[in-house]
Amino acid sequence: MGYYDTQQVCLNGHQTTDNYHRSPEFRQKFCATCGAETIHKCPNCNSEIRGDYHIDGVFDFSRTPVPIHCENCGADFPWTKNKEKLSAKNFESVSVDHFKLIEQICSRFHLVVKQLKIRHTNRETLVVNDEYDVQDLLHSILHIYFDDIRPEEWTPSYAGGCSRVDFLLKNEKIIIEVKKTRASLKDKVICEELMVDSQRYRTHPDCKKLFCFVYDPDGLISNPRGLENDLNMKNDDFEIKVLIVPKGH
């Protein structure tokens, strides 16, 4: 039999995690999307908001829907009015934010790695030991949402040389760069490499956005949020997003 975890949601209805207890590293006091305070209990009856249903050995990549009423007392959650307004506009077409979708996928990557370690009767699994393992697993997950994924695409020459990017989403004009920390690849080196990468990828004809995913399972980066803030950038014709996962070591 499985069990329900708890989800954490901001007062505007943005879910931060549906594995509040099982993966505490994803908790946030304030919403990364809108800055509102987050809660994991009903303000009316103090019961926890039901989250992911977990069964050992079974992997489910979907997110738990954010409820609009408390299942224990029936009271409206603070975000219910906003949800109802959105429902009233369901006739309007909604465009997919592919950049945000990639961020959501990568933000849950560590959960996927942890789940893969739990296999029925100890069957063989993918062990994420190095950067190539990260690329292989992420490539597989991206196929759920994207049709045209071009691995190891060559970039045009920059500063006398050229290199390959990890993934090019040609239709979405997004390049995904993947790195995994190790003893010789920590804060300073990661920062330097990503700065060079960002300049190089600006010259790629199919790149309008660069997503840099840094997998740091051993917590080798001392200030992940600071590094993200230093490198994130957005202007009229180019955007860079750096995401370090997991945090909270």
Side-chain angles (χ1 to χ4, degrees):
M1 294 292 293
Y3 63 90
Y4 284 101
D5 206 308
T6 297
Q7 61 176 297
Q8 185 183 52
V9 186
C10 85
L11 297 180
N12 288 325
H14 300 122
Q15 184 188 92
T16 56
T17 179
D18 59 356
N19 283 278
Y20 184 84
H21 296 296
R22 188 162 170 262
S23 299
E25 66 269 23
F26 291 108
R27 298 177 186 175
Q28 297 178 9
K29 291 184 179 180
F30 298 95
C31 178
T33 301
C34 68
E37 184 182 356
T38 60
I39 61 173
H40 69 283
K41 293 182 178 181
C42 171
N44 187 60
C45 69
N46 208 39
S47 62
E48 295 192 342
I49 304 170
R50 179 177 287 186
D52 177 60
Y53 186 72
H54 178 72
I55 302 175
D56 288 342
V58 177
F59 169 66
D60 182 5
F61 192 66
S62 62
R63 280 207 175 207
T64 307
V66 175
I68 59 175
H69 307 291
C70 175
E71 66 172 21
N72 185 61
C73 69
D76 291 349
F77 284 116
W79 52 82
T80 298
K81 287 186 177 180
N82 290 336
K83 292 283 186 181
E84 290 175 348
K85 289 179 181 178
L86 289 174
S87 296
K89 297 180 180 180
N90 60 7
F91 60 90
E92 298 179 0
S93 61
V94 179
S95 60
V96 177
D97 186 339
H98 296 103
F99 213 47
K100 188 68 176 178
L101 178 58
I102 295 169
E103 181 179 359
Q104 291 175 344
I105 292 171
C106 292
S107 69
R108 299 174 68 81
F109 185 86
H110 189 55
L111 288 176
V112 178
V113 174
K114 289 168 61 177
Q115 184 63 50
L116 283 173
K117 295 178 181 178
I118 307 172
R119 296 236 36 218
H120 185 69
T121 62
N122 296 319
R123 297 183 181 185
E124 291 186 4
T125 188
L126 172 64
V127 179
V128 179
N129 288 322
D130 57 30
E131 203 163 280
Y132 290 111
D133 295 330
V134 178
Q135 291 176 9
D136 289 343
L137 181 54
L138 181 60
H139 193 180
S140 300
I141 298 172
L142 288 172
H143 272 296
I144 300 174
Y145 301 99
F146 300 98
D147 295 322
D148 187 358
I149 306 169
R150 306 189 183 193
E152 296 192 329
E153 179 84 6
W154 284 99
T155 63
S157 177
Y158 171 78
C162 57
S163 65
R164 291 184 177 185
V165 305
D166 291 326
F167 301 109
L168 168 66
L169 306 180
K170 186 176 178 65
N171 295 334
E172 293 77 17
K173 295 192 178 300
I174 297 173
I175 280 178
I176 303 174
E177 178 71 8
V178 177
K179 296 187 182 296
K180 182 182 181 297
T181 57
R182 55 184 184 273
S184 60
L185 189 64
K186 295 190 285 188
D187 303 60
K188 182 179 179 180
V189 180
I190 285 279
C191 184
E192 291 173 349
E193 288 189 1
L194 292 180
M195 290 178 67
V196 172
D197 290 343
S198 66
Q199 294 301 316
R200 178 185 295 117
Y201 298 150
R202 281 176 178 271
T203 64
H204 197 291
D206 291 317
C207 181
K208 297 299 182 184
K209 295 184 178 183
L210 171 63
F211 192 94
C212 303
F213 173 47
V214 181
Y215 186 47
D216 183 32
D218 300 317
L220 299 179
I221 296 179
S222 58
N223 183 11
R225 295 194 187 278
L227 185 58
E228 289 174 347
N229 292 334
D230 287 345
L231 294 173
N232 288 343
M233 181 275 293
K234 182 178 182 180
N235 55 34
D236 293 338
D237 60 350
F238 196 69
E239 181 177 358
I240 303 171
K241 173 71 177 180
V242 177
L243 181 67
I244 301 169
V245 173
K247 300 181 182 71
H249 292 277

